Amino acid sequence: MILCLVDNDPVSLEALTFARRFGEVEALVFGDIDVGGYVARARRVVHARLDEYAPTAWAQAVLELEPEIVVAPGTDRGHEVLAHVAARIGAPLAANVIDASVDSEALQLTRQRWGGSLLEEARLTGTPKLLTVAPHAIDAEPSGITTTVEDFTPTLGDEHFRVRVMRREEPAAGTARLDSARVVVGGGRGVGSKEGFAVLEELAKLLGGAVGGSRVVTNLGWRPHSDQVGQTGARIAPDLYIACGVSGAIQHIVGCKGAKRILVINKDQNAPIVARADWAVIGDLHEIVPAIVAELRKNGA
Amino acid sequence: MKVGVCVKRVPETGARITLTSDDQAIDTSLLGFTISPHEECAVEEALRIAERHGGSTTVLTLGPAAASEQLKNAMAMGIASAVLLETDGGDWSAEATAAALAEAMRAQPEPFDLLLFGNEAADSGDYQVGVRVAHTLGLPCVTGIKGIEIDDGRLTARREAGGGWEIFELPLPAVVTVKEGINLPRYASIQGRLRAKKTPIERIQPQPRASALETIRLVVPPEHETHVEVLGAGADAAQRVVAVFRELGLVGL
Ligand SMILES: Cc1cc2nc3c(=O)[nH]c(=O)nc-3n(C[C@H](O)[C@H](O)[C@H](O)COP(=O)(O)OP(=O)(O)OC[C@H]3O[C@@H](n4cnc5c(N)ncnc54)[C@H](O)[C@@H]3O)c2cc1C
Ligand SMILES: Cc1cc2nc3c(=O)[nH]c(=O)nc-3n(C[C@H](O)[C@H](O)[C@H](O)COP(=O)(O)OP(=O)(O)OC[C@H]3O[C@@H](n4cnc5c(N)ncnc54)[C@H](O)[C@@H]3O)c2cc1C
């Protein structure tokens, strides 16, 4: 059986689409996401104690079905659950796969390293084969097949609920989210200080966007870590990323390569980020950003 | 409270990655080495927990002899003792890494109450060594954590989810993998560096084992080169920038 783990994160549908290349896929569904049109057979997990996420319980549900291949989305949960499956049975787990094909008993894989700035071609043998699919490696696409959904109640004991979500805190209303902003104004070391971000805030506000930053600025305490763009921060996908005083280290670039367009403001025209940009203004951001704000205001923005 | 923290030595890559001629590794001849930001935060968190609740801290790494640099850096921040699982520099699978770490942890005279890991290593990013160690040691585990509180033998852990938070509770001893942002790591002090220099590192020779996941080669992904249009130099470019905003429909005409 080829099994794909699905939860309410829409990235799960990308994983389902990806898994179909291996043959007929069954979806193991946690939550109420609609998988209609993606697979012929889906099992919706129903269990009195699974009203909240519990990683080992989810892993046990996978194991109970004794699949040969397990695919999961490359999300916090997908990685965590498959790591538990892998650890339980002593099998390898290939994380953040972007391409795969069957080669007799083995799978030929391409997976991301360094958050995607390096790729690894690998060969996965043995059974079961476990992999997570890197988010946005492919688009989610239903195949148009008729889907039968049945309930599935895994056999779970107390030991599977040692760790589970006890409660949640909902996001504060009205916070601009970096990962869904249309415009992101990013600042790096070149901004120079915490106070230096005021004019970037102003620009972001005028454009209806959010402020982000490099690791240098979060490490210096100029911005909270939740503003960090990059390998160990947020992945952004705005229509426009305005990078001010950011050099463009690969760990930063992997966080902003989803941006449709990039405008760079940097005093060094040889900064690596300039080569990634659509537009660049060369010079001191402390003069340029206020001038842009003034120009926008003049135009009645 | 005895807290252990695991870190991995990785090359400090710059704006571009260059591979060795056989495509098996990153060419590190011109590079320095570091650990993942997640792991720097794990080190800081271990220190804060020991400061708040009393107890000792130990840093562990599996890697070549040169990885003692990363252990010394952690000790310079304040970690009390260090264990190096010394390899000949070859590649270790996640299964083998976890098995060796778990064995070294078991061999400690006193068991750990809490083991901290990075959520994923900076280089290979396998998202699994911590979970595997937890299974081997029979400990509860939670990953991707950005907040830890300990009270009366129970650990409360916070994970970001959809802009909000999921809150887990675990009995100790436990394994927790953390993400950058959980804290802001301190800098090493001069006294810390001096002390780290003098503190001996415990060395262990771990046993390698084969894995069913075999790396064939590494590939630098094709660069998505753009054609850059330089809009100007200095403040005079502001008008052209605003014209771009207009073109993109970000501001009214
Ligand atoms: C494993 C790992 C993970 C990492 N994760 C991340 C991550 O998630 N996000 C991240 O950002 N980094 C990350 N980093 C760090 C990354 O390698 C870089 O160190 C960091 O991105 C550099 O930040 P910066 O561009 O702000 O600073 P710098 O590299 O110092 O660049 C500053 C730039 O500002 C320009 N400048 C200076 N003054 C001015 C001025 N007045 N006007 C205009 N331009 C000016 C300079 O020309 C320069 O280009 C990670 C590193 C590692 C090893
Ligand atoms: C060129 C190359 C080829 C390779 N070939 C293979 C291969 O053929 N087969 C194979 O299975 N593996 C291979 N590896 C190794 C493999 O990719 C990983 O290094 C290994 O699986 C460990 O996973 P990770 O470091 O990504 O761990 P993750 O699970 O991402 O790490 C999570 C956390 O575990 C801890 N941790 C991880 N590693 C260590 C360590 N060494 N010491 C202490 N703590 C640690 C850290 O806290 C880290 O933040 C190769 C590596 C390279 C560079």
Side-chain angles (χ1 to χ4, degrees):
Chain A
M1 180 207 288
I2 301 159
L3 193 68
C4 182
L5 183 85
V6 171
D7 73 357
N8 284 343
D9 191 321
V11 170
S12 301
L13 298 177
E14 298 170 7
L16 260 188
T17 309
F18 188 94
R20 287 200 305 249
R21 73 187 59 207
F22 301 127
E24 190 166 309
V25 181
E26 281 187 30
L28 181 63
V29 184
F30 294 86
D32 43 26
I33 191 168
D34 180 10
V35 295
Y38 280 89
V39 281
R41 186 171 181 198
R43 300 180 200 239
R44 194 173 296 282
V45 178
V46 195
H47 193 284
R49 294 179 71 182
L50 269 181
D51 53 334
E52 259 300 3
Y53 173 63
T56 35
W58 286 32
Q60 178 57 31
V62 171
L63 285 164
E64 188 175 320
L65 295 172
E66 299 187 350
E68 276 100 47
I69 298 182
V70 188
V71 179
T75 55
D76 279 352
R77 286 184 177 186
H79 284 134
E80 181 169 60
V81 172
L82 281 214
H84 279 286
V85 171
R88 273 277 302 282
I89 53 183
L93 159 60
N96 284 323
V97 172
I98 60 164
D99 197 7
S101 59
V102 181
D103 172 14
S104 65
E105 292 298 285
L107 293 184
Q108 297 285 353
L109 309 171
T110 305
R111 58 174 295 266
Q112 295 179 339
R113 283 173 172 251
W114 286 99
S117 37
L118 187 62
L119 302 177
E120 172 186 355
E121 292 175 359
R123 204 176 133 84
L124 182 59
T125 51
T127 315
K129 296 180 174 65
L130 310 174
L131 52 124
T132 66
V133 181
H136 314 308
I138 61 162
D139 292 330
E141 245 174 77
S143 66
I145 200 167
T146 311
T147 307
T148 344
V149 186
E150 59 195 80
D151 286 353
F152 168 58
T153 304
T155 311
L156 300 171
D158 283 343
E159 69 274 24
H160 301 118
F161 292 96
R162 267 212 291 182
V163 176
R164 65 193 176 92
V165 173
M166 303 299 283
R167 54 179 200 281
R168 304 179 163 268
E169 286 171 17
E170 298 311 325
T175 38
R177 286 197 50 193
L178 207 52
D179 52 3
S180 55
R182 242 180 97 213
V183 178
V184 174
V185 182
R189 192 195 302 275
V191 175
S193 65
K194 195 173 188 156
E195 296 68 37
F197 272 88
V199 59
L200 273 67
E201 293 267 11
E202 211 178 335
L203 178 59
K205 208 163 153 205
L206 289 170
L207 297 171
V211 170
S214 71
R215 176 162 186 252
V216 166
V217 308
T218 60
N219 246 0
L220 288 169
W222 298 349
R223 301 297 297 182
H225 180 268
S226 51
D227 283 357
Q228 184 173 314
V229 172
Q231 185 176 341
T232 50
R235 307 285 160 110
I236 58 169
D239 291 341
L240 180 65
Y241 177 48
I242 307 177
C244 312
V246 173
S247 63
I250 46 170
Q251 298 89 1
H252 186 81
I253 295 293
V254 295
C256 66
K257 68 178 181 197
K260 286 209 188 80
R261 302 298 188 93
I262 298 179
L263 166 67
V264 166
I265 301 172
N266 199 302
K267 66 178 184 191
D268 174 8
Q269 64 179 43
N270 296 317
I273 198 160
V274 176
R276 307 277 184 154
D278 297 279
W279 301 282
V281 180
I282 307 303
D284 186 349
L285 71 91
H286 301 291
E287 291 164 14
I288 297 163
V289 181
I292 296 170
V293 167
E295 185 67 23
L296 278 172
R297 291 215 186 281
K298 203 167 86 193
N299 286 272
Chain B
M1 191 83 181
K2 178 166 167 168
V3 187
V5 53
C6 293
V7 303
K8 181 180 186 184
R9 174 180 169 90
V10 297
E12 195 162 12
T13 55
R16 266 199 180 78
I17 291 183
T18 312
L19 299 179
T20 52
S21 54
D22 61 359
D23 288 341
Q24 292 298 307
I26 292 179
D27 180 357
T28 54
S29 53
L30 297 173
L31 299 178
F33 287 83
T34 184
I35 60 174
S36 160
H38 296 322
E39 292 155 25
E40 270 174 40
C41 288
V43 169
E44 174 65 33
E45 198 63 22
L47 292 171
R48 290 188 189 186
I49 289 168
E51 283 159 6
R52 213 171 302 139
H53 301 276
S56 68
T57 51
T58 304
V59 59
L60 301 98
T61 196
L62 178 140
S68 57
E69 177 193 352
Q70 279 61 46
L71 297 175
K72 293 277 179 192
N73 288 346
M75 285 197 283
M77 281 172 72
I79 298 286
S81 63
V83 182
L84 172 63
L85 290 78
E86 194 174 336
T87 69
D88 59 7
D91 304 321
W92 280 58
S93 69
E95 298 102 291
T97 304
L101 286 171
E103 201 171 309
M105 289 161 179
R106 267 204 191 116
Q108 290 277 306
E110 251 183 87
F112 287 104
D113 299 296
L114 176 62
L115 290 162
L116 297 176
F117 290 79
N119 187 59
E120 83 274 3
D123 56 346
S124 37
D126 288 311
Y127 292 82
Q128 55 191 260
V129 170
V131 179
R132 288 186 190 271
V133 167
H135 277 262
T136 310
L137 299 177
L139 301 179
C141 165
V142 65
T143 67
I145 294 306
K146 280 196 173 179
I148 294 179
E149 267 165 55
I150 294 171
D151 190 22
D152 207 18
R154 283 192 76 77
L155 182 148
T156 307
R158 299 162 69 81
R159 169 146 100 195
E160 243 171 1
W165 296 91
E166 287 179 341
I167 292 129
F168 295 84
E169 280 177 22
L170 288 79
L172 291 177
V175 171
V176 179
T177 84
V178 308
K179 281 191 179 174
E180 189 180 21
I182 189 173
N183 55 43
L184 199 55
R186 69 194 67 183
Y187 292 103
S189 62
I190 293 177
Q191 300 96 297
R193 294 211 172 273
L194 290 174
R195 199 186 52 83
K197 221 176 196 173
K198 281 185 270 172
T199 314
I201 290 174
E202 182 187 336
R203 282 166 198 264
I204 295 178
Q205 251 68 48
Q207 284 305 314
R209 60 174 77 184
S211 167
L213 178 62
E214 184 198 343
T215 301
I216 299 166
R217 62 180 187 127
L218 301 179
V219 184
V220 179
E223 246 175 64
H224 147 89
E225 284 287 347
T226 50
H227 172 75
V228 194
E229 186 186 341
V230 177
L231 297 175
D236 296 343
Q239 261 184 357
R240 293 192 64 194
V241 170
V242 172
V244 165
F245 293 164
R246 222 174 265 132
E247 194 185 307
L248 295 175
L250 300 173
V251 291
L253 297 171

